[in-house]
Amino acid sequence: MISIKGLRKVYTSDNKKLTAVDDLTLDIENGEIFGVIGYSGAGKSTFVRLLNRLEEPTEGNVIIDKQEITSLTKNELRSARKEIGMIFQHFNLLWSRTVEDNISFPLEIAGVSKEKRVKIVQELIDLVGLSGREKAYPSQLSGGQKQRVGIARALANNPKVLLCDEATSALDPETTNAILDLLVDINQKLGLTVILITHEMNVIRKICNRVAVMEKGKIVEKGDVLDVFSHPKQPVTKKFVAQLMDPGSEDETEDIENLLHNVNHDGVLLRLRFIGESTNQTLISQLAKKFPIDINILQGKITQTQTGGFGTLITQFIGNEKDISNAIEFIHHETSVEVEVIRNAD
């Protein structure tokens, strides 16, 4: 397990202090894919660089696999870093070296024999899907291929932890999905812990088990991805979730106001929230058969996470007040769908 306690990083410039990471405490389980999300300036990249001491912490400690990273000497840290791989947004490849030489580089530094290096490099090339590109130079590779080289290089010393700092931010959506699939495959095959830093909620949704939301250097919300997505508490988390559910908008309140303005006032406006197995329920069909009401679906989206689906439907129930009330009671007591009345009939 990775245990982080009271982690703080303060920069001083022109006699002014800037706190990039502020009293951060977090536990990450072995073998999980843990996401850290925040907008630019939230402190997430500083945080991940503190884990392997590419940045020196001002306060606090980091323990990885029972070893306190923050108390190691420089020589001890060099040895410990072999077990902490890292991939970067802009790849950080050696442009004068081929694919196989880039991957081999950390093994050369570690003093691994040439015969063993060749074997490990080929295994990694096969793992990340670069067979046939061994002799290519970075300038001859696509963005996705460059990141695959970066991933293979990060895995060269057989690390226990893989740190990913905005690893897909420079890639197009299709390539991003391919790299995320690769990270899941590596996580499952090698059993290593992945810590993924991003500002993209879709990245968290697709591969992470748990997530921490950062703002102004602090973790403001954390938990299982499905729980955080389906019941966001903090304004910043609600913005991320709104962006995921409707990429063209981050303001749910404004969306609801627009809906209220554009629909007639005859019925009751409801928000139906589907979580986990409830996303497979044929709720609208059941309601239409059981109750003499009309149901108008105004807006909605269902999306999937690693641990299940979640989503919302904004609906309008039109009909007799008692029938509508009975339908709402049915949802409350007979289904696992959450229901909220946004506006009653005028």
Side-chain angles (χ1 to χ4, degrees), residues 56-69:
E56 288 292 339
T58 305
E59 296 177 24
N61 57 61
V62 176
I63 299 173
I64 299 178
D65 197 28
K66 300 180 181 180
Q67 185 175 46
E68 186 172 348
I69 302 299

Side-chain angles (χ1 to χ4, degrees), residues 178-223:
I179 293 298
L180 294 178
D181 288 340
L182 175 60
L183 289 175
V184 171
D185 186 51
I186 288 168
N187 167 258
Q188 293 173 346
K189 285 182 177 177
L190 305 182
L192 80 173
T193 305
V194 179
I195 301 176
L196 195 149
I197 305 299
T198 185
H199 64 275
E200 300 173 281
M201 205 62 160
N202 191 57
V203 170
I204 300 293
R205 174 195 68 80
K206 187 171 176 62
I207 72 168
C208 294
N209 309 115
R210 292 194 299 144
V211 62
V213 183
M214 285 191 70
E215 185 177 34
K216 296 179 181 178
K218 293 180 178 289
I219 289 179
V220 297
E221 197 162 351
K222 62 184 176 182

Side-chain angles (χ1 to χ4, degrees), residues 226 229-230 241 244-245 274-276 279 301-303 305 308-311:
L226 187 57
F229 277 23
S230 56
V241 173
L244 178 67
M245 299 306 290
F274 299 80
I275 304 168
T279 56
K301 182 177 180 181
I302 303 293
T303 191
T305 73
F310 80 101

Side-chain angles (χ1 to χ4, degrees), residues 232-283:
K233 296 179 177 64
Q234 298 299 320
V236 64
T237 313
K238 291 177 180 178
K239 282 187 177 181
F240 275 121
V241 173
Q243 185 181 29
L244 178 67
M245 299 306 290
D246 181 5
S249 172
E250 294 185 3
D251 192 338
E252 186 184 35
T253 302
E254 182 179 336
D255 287 347
I256 297 299
E257 289 299 322
N258 288 334
L259 283 175
L260 291 173
H261 179 73
N262 292 319
V263 299
N264 67 59
H265 288 229
D266 293 337
V268 176
L269 209 63
L270 302 169
R271 179 189 287 106
L272 304 177
R273 183 175 286 113
F274 299 80
I275 304 168
E277 292 183 1
S278 68
T279 56
N280 296 320
Q281 292 185 12
T282 56
L283 179 63

